[in-house]
Structure formats: structure tokens, C-alpha cells
Amino acid sequence: MVNLVYRDPSFSNEDLFIDCMSELSTVEPCMEMISLSQLERQAMKGNGLCLVFFTEALQPLQQVFIERLLASTALPIIVNAYSWDESHLESLLKCGRVTFVPEKMTPKRLNSLVSLAKIRFNSASNMLEKMKLLDKQCTGLKQLSKAKSLLQSQGISESQAHELIQKQAMEKGISLGEMAQHIMTAAQQLDATRMHRFGATAPAVNKEA
């Protein structure tokens, strides 16, 4: 596992870059990426501890590239730039998994920044997973309510509908939300079959009548 380091061709402070690489190497191994394609290939392998991205000006295409990495890898990212578009930067930082360092990087602080970036990344990732779980639970509750209403329309009470869904879910080893979704899907398929049969046997409509 290594820290990945990339500097955009626009980044001209050679001495600063060398000092940062040297400082970073004192704690963990690091590897310089010479192109975005090489960086993406290496990141996709899952061997990166953290990415330090140096650029003179943060451009929209660079931002798109970073967002693509965030979507496909579990890689904490530090971005260092001397100029940027505030609206674009806000969009990039709202996920909480990117650490932005404005203007000149201080080499002595780099290892501390890497540690901070990893903490922020893990915290934001955990929060994202919790939000996904809550969203899934809300969706499941909505499906459960619809499934119970469907069963109630067949002449049983709400408590009986709930017990029936719960029993079937336990027998299949799935959640109530998943069982409710199965019931809704089966009902939709049944309705579609009935409509198909009706359409196939319905008398032709006389358009001249």
C-alpha cells in the first residue's frame, strides 16, 4: 500500500513538490503518478492509502476526474491548488471525503494532513452508509404500508396483513420491506396478466359506431 502523488503539468513549483515527496516518504511509501490515466489505473487496483493531487488551478475536468475516483474507489484525497472556482469547489467538497489545501502546501504538515484526510474520509463514508441504510429503511416502510393496504383491500385487517407479511418474510429469511416489495410486484404482474387476457378476448371495437 502506497500514497499516490500526482502533479498536474501546470504545477511549476518543483522544489515544493520534491520537498513534499520527501516528507511524505518519511512515514509511508509514496509513488508519483505521471498521468491521469496511470493514476486512475493504480487507484482502481485498491493499493492507494491516500492521493495527494497538486495543481496550479483546479479545473472542471480535474474535478470530474476526482469525482469519478470518489465514486469508484475508497481513496482519501487531498487537493492542493492556488486558484479555483468557488462554486465548483463547493460541489467537490460537499461529500466530505476530499481535503482541500489552498495555495502553498507546507511540507512539514503533509503527513498530518494525510492522517486528517483519512479520518475525514472514513467519517464521511460511514455517514454516507448510514444515510443509505436510512433511505432503504424508509423505502421499506413505504412498501410495507402499500402491501398492507393491498392485503386489506382483500378483506383482512391491518394487523392480520402485518402478521401475514411478517410470517412470509420469516419463512423466506428476508426483511419486511423486501417481502412487501415481492407482494407488490406479484400484484402488478397479476394485474398485467388480467389486462392481457381481457385485451385478447375483448370484442373488436367498431370505430364507425
Side-chain angles (χ1 to χ4, degrees):
M1 300 288 283
V2 298
N3 288 310
L4 307 178
V5 184
Y6 172 78
R7 56 171 167 173
D8 184 78
S10 66
F11 191 82
S12 58
N13 196 331
E14 180 74 17
D15 291 339
L16 175 61
F17 181 78
I18 292 174
D19 289 343
C20 286
M21 286 285 289
S22 177
E23 183 65 24
L24 197 59
S25 298
T26 61
V27 176
E28 295 172 327
C30 62
M31 180 185 302
E32 181 182 358
M33 302 289 100
I34 60 174
S35 68
L36 290 178
S37 58
Q38 181 195 20
L39 170 56
E40 187 167 28
R41 287 195 302 271
Q42 191 66 33
M44 292 297 291
K45 291 179 181 179
N47 296 326
L49 294 168
C50 184
L51 166 62
V52 186
F53 193 102
F54 292 92
T55 184
E56 192 71 24
L58 184 60
Q59 303 292 335
L61 287 178
Q62 294 173 331
Q63 179 174 325
V64 170
F65 174 82
I66 293 171
E67 290 173 346
R68 188 165 72 243
L69 284 185
L70 289 171
S72 57
T73 66
L75 184 65
I77 299 175
I78 297 173
V79 177
N80 175 224
Y82 285 81
S83 63
W84 57 89
D85 180 282
E86 288 190 6
S87 61
H88 290 162
L89 181 61
E90 181 180 358
S91 174
L92 182 64
L93 298 183
K94 67 181 180 181
C95 69
R97 297 189 293 168
V98 175
T99 299
F100 182 71
V101 181
E103 301 179 351
K104 186 175 181 179
M105 175 81 79
T106 303
K108 292 295 183 182
R109 294 177 54 227
L110 185 52
N111 284 312
S112 296
L113 283 170
V114 168
S115 297
L116 174 62
K118 292 176 182 177
I119 292 172
R120 294 185 72 246
F121 181 88
N122 291 333
S123 177
S125 296
N126 289 337
M127 183 61 66
L128 183 62
E129 287 302 314
K130 289 179 181 179
M131 290 176 64
K132 288 181 179 179
L133 178 59
L134 286 174
D135 184 63
K136 183 178 180 180
Q137 290 173 342
C138 288
T139 300
L141 288 173
K142 291 178 181 178
Q143 292 294 338
L144 179 59
S145 178
K146 291 179 180 179
K148 287 196 293 185
S149 295
L150 178 64
L151 293 176
Q152 285 177 264
S153 70
Q154 305 302 312
I156 65 175
S157 67
E158 181 181 1
S159 61
Q160 289 173 323
H162 185 87
E163 289 176 4
L164 179 60
I165 296 172
Q166 188 175 47
K167 180 181 178 181
Q168 291 182 348
M170 290 179 65
E171 289 176 352
K172 294 180 180 296
I174 59 178
S175 68
L176 290 177
E178 290 172 323
M179 190 65 243
Q181 180 61 57
H182 289 333
I183 292 173
M184 297 300 296
T185 300
Q188 291 169 358
Q189 291 174 344
L190 181 59
D191 287 343
T193 300
R194 287 173 176 170
M195 289 295 293
H196 176 72
R197 287 177 179 173
F198 175 79
T201 59
V205 177
N206 187 348
K207 296 182 180 180
E208 297 179 355

